[in-house]
Amino acid sequence: MKNTKTLFKFFTLFEYEEEEAFLEKQHKEGWKVVNFKLPGFYKFEKCQPEDMTYRIDFTNENGSKNAEYQQMFEDNGWNFLWSVNGFSIFRKKGASASEGNNEIFTDNESKLQMLKKIHQRRLLPLITIFLCAVLPNFVKGINGEFGNSTGDMVITAFFGVMFILYSYVFIKSFIKIKKLKEKLM
């Protein structure tokens, strides 16, 4: 039997709770996450099934290079796993929700601040790229401004795929932001 496995799972910027639940479920089934590579490849190692709590924080910094940041979480029982693209992943042995010690945020205002940081530092730049590069080039391709050669059709198809991916991320993100804000307020 294999002792490692790699799974592909894509989460949008604001689906951190779903990602946490995914990692917790894998651990409960005897697979602890050991690595992550963009755009969504998780590497797992076989382990004893147990309840583990996973939490994600967004700092827009590389948490693996910030010893003070890691120490703050370690002092509260969290094991730092990695940082990628401004998101830091933490894990600790499962704690009951009633004890309240399985959260990295002390209040809803802190969670809302994290959402605002993600929105400002990740989503707004994506919207800018979409409006300045993807959308205009997709429209040009549809209108035939690139030409009719195979290469031109490939460029148009590429921008079509990018248009669909960006639209998907935006729609899912805005729906998730709305739900999270309603839940936290």
Side-chain angles (χ1 to χ4, degrees):
M1 188 160 130
K2 285 177 61 175
N3 290 326
T4 64
K5 71 177 181 178
T6 301
L7 296 176
F8 175 79
K9 189 84 169 157
F10 179 77
F11 296 97
T12 61
L13 294 171
F14 296 95
E15 292 180 312
Y16 62 91
E17 290 175 332
E18 290 84 348
E19 187 173 4
E20 293 167 350
F22 165 72
L23 296 172
E24 289 170 3
K25 180 178 184 268
Q26 292 299 315
H27 209 117
K28 192 174 248 184
E29 293 173 357
W31 294 98
K32 71 177 177 181
V33 66
V34 292
N35 199 357
F36 172 81
K37 300 271 189 232
L38 286 173
F41 292 96
Y42 296 84
K43 184 176 180 182
F44 296 90
E45 284 181 356
K46 194 78 175 142
C47 68
Q48 288 292 353
E50 61 183 327
D51 287 330
M52 293 295 277
T53 300
Y54 286 80
R55 290 295 178 257
I56 299 172
D57 187 27
F58 178 76
T59 61
N60 200 35
E61 298 172 9
N62 187 346
S64 60
K65 293 183 179 177
N66 188 336
E68 198 175 297
Y69 174 75
Q70 288 183 34
Q71 188 63 49
M72 176 182 70
F73 283 94
E74 199 172 296
D75 290 345
N76 288 292
W78 293 97
N79 295 319
F80 173 80
L81 299 179
W82 67 78
S83 283
V84 65
N85 202 23
F87 291 89
S88 296
I89 312 295
F90 298 91
R91 167 177 64 206
K92 78 173 177 176
K93 285 206 179 272
S96 73
S98 62
E99 293 174 24
N101 61 356
N102 66 345
E103 291 298 330
I104 59 174
F105 297 104
T106 55
D107 58 16
N108 287 343
E109 185 60 35
S110 300
K111 287 182 182 180
L112 287 172
Q113 287 294 357
M114 183 180 82
L115 292 177
K116 288 177 186 174
K117 282 194 284 188
I118 295 170
H119 187 266
Q120 292 170 347
R121 297 179 186 163
R122 291 292 185 261
L123 195 56
L124 290 179
L126 284 177
I127 290 170
T128 302
I129 293 168
F130 177 77
L131 293 175
C132 294
V134 175
L135 186 61
N137 285 307
F138 179 59
V139 171
K140 281 182 184 179
I142 289 177
N143 290 334
E145 292 180 38
F146 290 134
N148 293 324
S149 72
T150 303
D152 297 329
M153 287 186 232
V154 168
I155 291 170
T156 301
F158 169 77
F159 282 111
V161 169
M162 293 303 293
F163 177 81
I164 291 167
L165 283 173
Y166 271 78
S167 298
Y168 170 79
V169 168
F170 294 151
I171 290 167
K172 285 213 52 158
S173 294
F174 285 117
I175 290 170
K176 186 65 178 178
I177 289 169
K178 185 177 185 221
K179 286 181 180 177
L180 287 170
K181 283 185 177 178
E182 288 172 358
K183 177 180 159 186
L184 297 174
M185 292 183 145

